[in-house]
Amino acid sequence: AQTVTQSQPEMSVQEAETVTLSCTYDTSENNYYLFWYKQPPSRQMILVIRQEAYKQQNATENRFSVNFQKAAKSFSLKISDSQLGDTAMYFCAFMMRGTSYGKLTFGQGTILTVHP
Amino acid sequence: SQTIHQWPATLVQPVGSPLSLECTVEGTSNPNLYWYRQAAGRGLQLLFYSVGIGQISSEVPQNLSASRPQDRQFILSSKKLLLSDSGFYLCAWSGGTRGLNTEAFFGQGTRLTVV
């Protein structure tokens, strides 16, 4: 079974600055996906970024980038030029690749507050 | 494009009453469907998933059940609600005509309060 751990229950950052959210995971699998989802106060789950484990290059999406360290089983999210709209709960999640189902295992979440 | 609908958005039910939450997906065929629960604003826990009509897998023992009467319809039910069933319930889908499961797409959720 897979586990995902987010050790930072809450983080805060000033607008326009950079913040990094941490995530570690445990799995015996070699082929999987990792995700960061954002849950704003509306509680809609929004996909922020996806990393494929077989790709060494770190994924980036505009202001969002990841630092994927497969050997260390670490998957952190960096948010650059933070905006007020980035205030949300962020979840790290794991999905096995190549199966007939796409079950997600989530971390406990990190509440990020961006201050003006 | 694909969309997922989940209703109701909010529900307050007395202990011992029945429950039915519905989720439908549009724009794809044969999706994998999921019910997750989020308690106390923290992590999501997978309750049920389905890879086809009538095929339901349960991840955790509980007071709830799920059914998939149609390809793109997924229902979460209970005969008698408990206080501990309170939480935020999210329906999701993956795969379908998009091919392999590469990410999951979520509905807007149902906030259930059992009183």
Side-chain angles (χ1 to χ4, degrees), chain B residues 47-78:
Chain B
L47 302 177
F48 300 96
Y49 69 94
S50 171
V51 298
I53 296 175
Q55 300 179 60
I56 308 295
S57 297
S58 174
E59 288 291 293
V60 293
Q62 59 201 298
N63 182 45
L64 302 168
S65 61
S67 61
R68 185 170 177 174
Q70 300 180 43
D71 181 43
R72 291 169 289 177
Q73 183 185 30
F74 205 25
I75 298 172
L76 184 69
S77 304
S78 173

Side-chain angles (χ1 to χ4, degrees), chain B residues 18-55:
Chain B
L19 172 74
S20 181
L21 303 182
E22 189 163 344
C23 172
T24 59
V25 179
E26 296 178 357
T28 188
S29 298
N30 196 31
N32 292 336
L33 297 171
Y34 314 87
W35 280 111
Y36 289 87
R37 177 167 60 197
Q38 184 178 24
R42 301 310 287 186
L44 280 74
Q45 180 183 39
L46 179 63
L47 302 177
F48 300 96
Y49 69 94
S50 171
V51 298
I53 296 175
Q55 300 179 60

